[in-house]
């Protein structure tokens, strides 16, 4: 017998974790839609793919921020004057 309350709590927790990881709603919807029609392995594969894509994007942003920090430290970017 499935415990509906427990299943709902696990479902809500999964959504919360995916949102905290920064996945957009459409990605979460795709994962949840897959969960309705596919097995656990397919859902896991899709979730890992979307999370990996998110991590890659974050790493790109981090590199861009680090490059700007380095440019400021080297004096290549001057602070903006007050208006």
């Amino acid at each position: 017998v499935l415990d509906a309350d427990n299943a709902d709590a696990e479902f809500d927790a999964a959504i919360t974790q995916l949102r905290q990881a920064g996945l957009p709603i459409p990605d979460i919807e795709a994962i949840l839609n897959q969960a309705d029609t596919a097995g656990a392995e397919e859902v896991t594969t899709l979730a890992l793919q979307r999370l990996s894509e998110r991590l890659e994007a974050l790493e790109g942003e981090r590199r861009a921020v680090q490059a700007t920090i380095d440019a400021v430290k080297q004096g290549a970017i001057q602070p903006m004057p007050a208006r």
Side-chain angles (χ1 to χ4, degrees):
V1 174
L2 279 172
D3 180 356
D5 288 338
N6 188 40
D8 286 345
E10 289 178 12
F11 184 81
D12 291 346
I15 292 172
T16 299
Q17 285 182 305
L18 293 170
R19 283 300 295 144
Q20 288 174 339
L23 287 185
I25 298 298
D27 285 353
I28 295 171
E29 286 176 339
I31 292 166
L32 297 178
N33 288 338
Q34 183 99 9
D36 289 341
T37 60
E41 187 173 328
E42 290 88 358
V43 173
T44 299
T45 299
L46 180 58
L48 289 172
Q49 175 188 355
R50 298 295 171 96
L51 289 166
S52 294
E53 291 167 358
R54 175 69 180 135
L55 182 57
E56 191 175 308
L58 287 171
E59 288 171 345
E61 290 176 32
R62 186 211 161 289
R63 286 189 297 273
V65 169
Q66 186 62 54
T68 303
I69 288 171
D70 294 344
V72 169
K73 285 181 178 179
Q74 295 172 3
I77 297 175
Q78 297 298 318
M80 298 293 291
R83 293 183 191 217

